[in-house]
Amino acid sequence: MHYDLHCHSTCSDGLLSPAGVVKRAAARGVDVLALTDHDELAGLGEARAAAREAGITLIDGSELSVSWHDDTVHIVALGIDPDNAELAGGLESIRNGRDARARRIGAALADAGIPDAFEGALTYVTSERLISRTHFARHLVDSGRARDMKDAFRHFLTPGKPGYVSHVWASLSQVVGWIHQAGGQAVIAHPGRYKVSSAQLRTLIGEFRDLGGDAIEVVSPSHTPAQYVEFAAIARAFALKASCGSDFHGPGESRMDFGDLPPLPAGVDPVWSAW
Ligand code: AMP
Ligand code: MN
Ligand code: MN
Ligand code: MN
C-alpha cells in the first residue's frame, strides 16, 4: 500500500482542485491519500467523492499553522471529523488572521519598492477563504521579481527579508486539542525544516508528545535521506508514530510528485498502524 498523507489543493495554496489532486494521486499509484489544506477543510467533500470514483482511500486532513515561541510550526491533522465544531471554529480563527497579515506583507513589500504585491497576490488566490505567502511568491515570480518560488521565498518572504511579517497563529496545545476533539491524529509536519537548534527541536517534539501528539513526519521532500533515518530514530525515542507525505502543491512546483515517496525506514510505527 502506498500512503501519501500530506498535500494541498486550490482550497489553500495548491494548484489543482481537490478532485484534480485525488485523480493525479490515484493515477500515480497512491492508495491512501490525505488532503491537508492549510487551516482548511473545505476541499474534503469534493476529494472524498473523487476518491470514491478513483477507488482510493481518502483520509480527512488539514495542516494547521502554529506559533511556537518565535517560530511557525505546522501540525498535520489526520482522520479528523470534518463536521467537528471545535476544530472548524479553531481553523476559522486561524484563517481569519490571514487577511490582515497579507495586507501587512503587501505594505512591507511596498516599502521595499514593490507597490503592487497585495493586489498581485490576490490574482493568484483560489479560495476567498485563504491567502498565503505562496500566492505572493507566485506573483513575485510571474512579475519578474524572482526567478522561481524558492528564490521568491529566499529574497522576500522568509524571516529577515523585506516581505516577512511576524504573525501569531494558534498555540501547539490548542491545535493538538482541536485535532483530538475531532477524533484525529496530530503529526508534526516536516520537522527538518524548522530553523531551530537540535536542542530546541527536541524540546518542541517533547512538548508535542506530552500534549498527546501522535506522530512526526519522517519521510518528506523537506528531508534528506539521512534525515529520514534521523527522524525515524527520534520517532522511536519519543514513542511517536511515523508519517510520510509529498507535500504536493502542483505540477512543476513541488519537489516530490505523488508516487515518488520512498517507504518509511524500518523499525518505526506507521501513523496508520491502527487504522
Ligand atoms: P503561509 O502559511 O502563508 O506562511 O505559507 C506557507 C507556505 O509557503 C508553505 O506551506 C509552502 O507552501 C510555501 N513555502 C514556504 N517556504 C517555501 C520555499 N522556500 N519555497 C517554496 N514554497 C515555500
Ligand atoms: Mn503550502
Ligand atoms: Mn508545511
Ligand atoms: Mn504542506
Side-chain angles (χ1 to χ4, degrees), residues 13 38 74 98 101 132-134 150 153 193 249:
D13 60 350
H38 296 284
H74 288 170
R98 282 181 172 274
R101 173 195 186 233
S132 92
R133 282 184 293 160
T134 309
K150 206 175 161 195
F153 275 91
R193 208 162 103 179
H249 282 73

Side-chain angles (χ1 to χ4, degrees), residues 68 188 191 200-210 216 231 234 238 240:
W68 186 75
I188 298 183
Q200 284 172 310
L201 188 60
R202 284 174 174 272
T203 302
L204 166 67
I205 294 169
E207 281 183 23
F208 173 76
R209 194 265 321 273
D210 293 345
I216 62 174
F231 285 112
I234 288 177
F238 283 83
L240 289 164

